[in-house]
Structures are given as C-alpha cells and as structure tokens.
C-alpha cells in the first residue's frame, strides 16, 4: 500500500532562512504527489502537485518541490521564510490518478522573528 | 472561500447520539471525499463518492455511512457516537481524477461529550 513519511513533526526556522520540509513516499508505481498547507482553523489548501511532467514543481507563495525517484522523495522548499508561512504542511500521494490521496502526518512549521 | 461548503462548523453532542455532516462540492466537481483529522491518527480517508456512486472506501467505521445526492452534495452520517469520534471532519472535492488535486472545505469540528 502506498504511504507517505514526513520527517519531523515540527520544524522551526528564522525569518528569512531556508525552509526545508521532508517527504518520502512508497508506491509501487510512479505516483502523483502533493503538498498542502493548513492554517489554524482552516481547511487544507493545495500548494503544488507533481503529475509526471517536470521534476521541479513550483507552487504558490514561493514554495517549490523536487521529485527524486531514486530517493523516493518530494521535499518542499522555500528560499526565504516569512512569518505568514507558519502553518501545518502535509505531503500526500496517490499512486494513480483515481486513487484517493494518502496523507502524511504533517509537519508544523514555526517561523521565528 | 474554497468553493466547498461544509455545515455545521461546530457540533457538540453526547455519546450514543447520531449526527449528520453536510458538504456541497465546488461547482463542477463530481467527486467528494470525506476525511477525518485527529491528533493521533492524522488525516484518515473515510470514503469517496463520484457522481452519486460510492467509488472508494477507506478506514470508515460501520457506524458511519455516507451518500451523495443527485445535486452532488454529500452527507456523512455518524451514529452511536463515542468519545473517540471527536475530530475534525473534512470534505474535499475534485473534478474527475484525484491527480487534479482536491479542494477542501473548512471542516466540521465534532466534539462528543
């Protein structure tokens, strides 16, 4: 069965520093991969998605993620953290376009002024 | 506003009771997904409907049921409620395939006392 592992339940960075949130997946077929963000008391919002086109995917709010098949990874990065980036981030996988998304446990990002 | 509407936003009920959560998908989306979010289990997929028919089932308890109506809105029925059912319940919708990404509602917070 497909699964997603997010390393680090809580990541803390200084404002202006690099953001790196890790995601590794297991899937028997080339997957579809997603990053979602959840702000307090809100639903999840799609940040970006990988659907087998370019391996480097650019999303909203300056985030991007790189699909690395050899490492089964899809890490999320942002060059410079902003206070407004503080939220919970979820990585998700779907092994085929028709299979419901499986989410990781989430990583809470804190940004320190 | 994501376009996915969930009601009610908050629900407090006693053990043993039955509640109904409602979801209206984004205009044009045919698929509806229900997820349960709790601190210990994370985001767990419950069930998917596509154009009125059940398409996929996840970790949904037998005490829980759902349906999608001809106007595409969906309802999640939770019965014989237990304390452990307290959680955030999210509805999401997508066009036809999961790889397009989901649009989430803001959720219903259920508290069982």
């Amino acid at each position: 069965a497909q699964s997603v592992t997010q390393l680090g339940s809580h990541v803390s960075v200084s404002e202006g520093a690099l953001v790196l949130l890790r995601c590794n997946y297991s899937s028997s077929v080339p997957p579809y991969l997603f990053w979602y963000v959840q702000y307090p008391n809100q639903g999840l919002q799609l940040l970006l998605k990988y659907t087998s086109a370019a391996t480097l995917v650019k999303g909203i709010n300056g985030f991007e993620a790189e699909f690395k098949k050899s490492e089964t990874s899809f890490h999320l990065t942002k060059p410079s953290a902003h206070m407004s980036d503080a939220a919970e981030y979820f990585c998700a996988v779907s092994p085929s376009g028709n299979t419901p998304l499986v989410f990781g446990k989430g990583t809470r990002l804190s940004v320190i002024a | 506003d994501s376009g996915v509407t969930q009601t009610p936003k908050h629900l407090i009920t006693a053990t043993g009771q039955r509640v109904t959560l409602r979801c209206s998908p984004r205009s044009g989306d045919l698929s509806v997904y229900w997820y349960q979010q709790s601190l210990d289990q994370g985001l767990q997929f419950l069930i998917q409907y596509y154009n009125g028919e059940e398409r996929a089932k996840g970790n949904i308890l037998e005490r829980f049921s759902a349906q999608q109506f001809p106007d595409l809105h969906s309802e999640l029925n939770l019965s014989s409620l237990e304390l452990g059912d307290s959680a955030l319940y999210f509805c999401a919708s997508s066009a036809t395939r999961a790889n397009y990404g989901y649009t989430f509602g803001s959720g219903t917070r259920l508290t069982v006392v």
Side-chain angles (χ1 to χ4, degrees):
Chain A
Q2 65 276 10
S3 66
V4 172
T5 302
Q6 291 185 240
L7 290 175
S9 60
H10 186 204
V11 170
S12 186
V13 300
S14 298
E15 191 174 19
L18 171 71
V19 175
L20 171 60
L21 304 182
R22 300 177 187 273
C23 172
N24 288 89
Y25 67 91
S26 68
S27 176
S28 57
V29 298
Y32 296 95
L33 293 159
F34 305 80
W35 276 99
Y36 283 83
V37 61
Q38 183 179 27
Y39 297 101
N41 300 314
Q42 294 187 27
L44 281 74
Q45 179 183 1
L46 180 64
L47 270 179
L48 50 82
K49 61 183 178 182
Y50 168 76
T51 56
S52 75
T55 57
L56 182 62
V57 182
K58 293 187 184 300
I60 62 172
N61 302 336
F63 284 93
E64 62 182 37
E66 186 172 8
F67 172 70
K68 291 188 177 180
K69 185 179 179 181
S70 60
E71 298 177 8
T72 61
S73 69
F74 190 57
H75 301 332
L76 181 71
T77 61
K78 182 174 180 177
S80 176
H82 192 272
M83 297 296 288
S84 60
D85 295 327
E88 188 97 16
Y89 291 81
F90 294 90
C91 182
V93 64
S94 173
S96 76
N98 289 318
T99 308
L101 297 187
V102 175
F103 285 85
K105 294 286 190 184
T107 298
R108 181 183 303 175
L109 175 67
S110 297
V111 182
I112 304 168
Chain B
D1 181 10
S2 68
V4 177
T5 303
Q6 286 189 250
T7 57
K9 291 192 182 304
H10 302 277
L11 201 49
I12 301 175
T13 190
T15 54
Q17 294 299 303
R18 181 180 188 274
V19 297
T20 298
L21 312 184
R22 181 188 170 100
C23 169
S24 294
R26 194 179 57 167
S27 178
D29 286 355
L30 298 178
S31 274
V32 169
Y33 310 81
W34 286 97
Y35 282 81
Q36 179 192 59
Q37 184 179 36
S38 61
L39 283 176
D40 53 343
Q41 295 293 323
L43 270 162
Q44 295 288 312
F45 168 67
L46 296 178
I47 197 164
Q48 176 200 358
Y49 278 83
Y50 175 78
N51 202 22
E53 295 188 1
E54 182 182 306
R55 179 61 65 91
K57 225 170 186 178
N59 300 321
I60 188 166
L61 301 172
E62 285 192 11
R63 301 183 284 108
F64 296 0
S65 65
Q67 55 184 326
Q68 186 179 29
F69 295 87
D71 66 352
L72 300 178
H73 91 271
S74 177
E75 293 181 357
L76 178 66
N77 300 297
L78 315 176
S79 61
S80 302
L81 285 167
E82 303 174 359
L83 296 178
D85 297 327
S86 296
L88 258 173
Y89 291 84
F90 283 108
C91 167
S93 69
S94 69
T96 52
R97 291 166 60 88
N99 64 316
Y100 293 157
Y102 297 172
T103 301
F104 278 82
S106 55
T108 294
R109 182 174 293 280
L110 173 66
T111 303
V112 182
V113 297

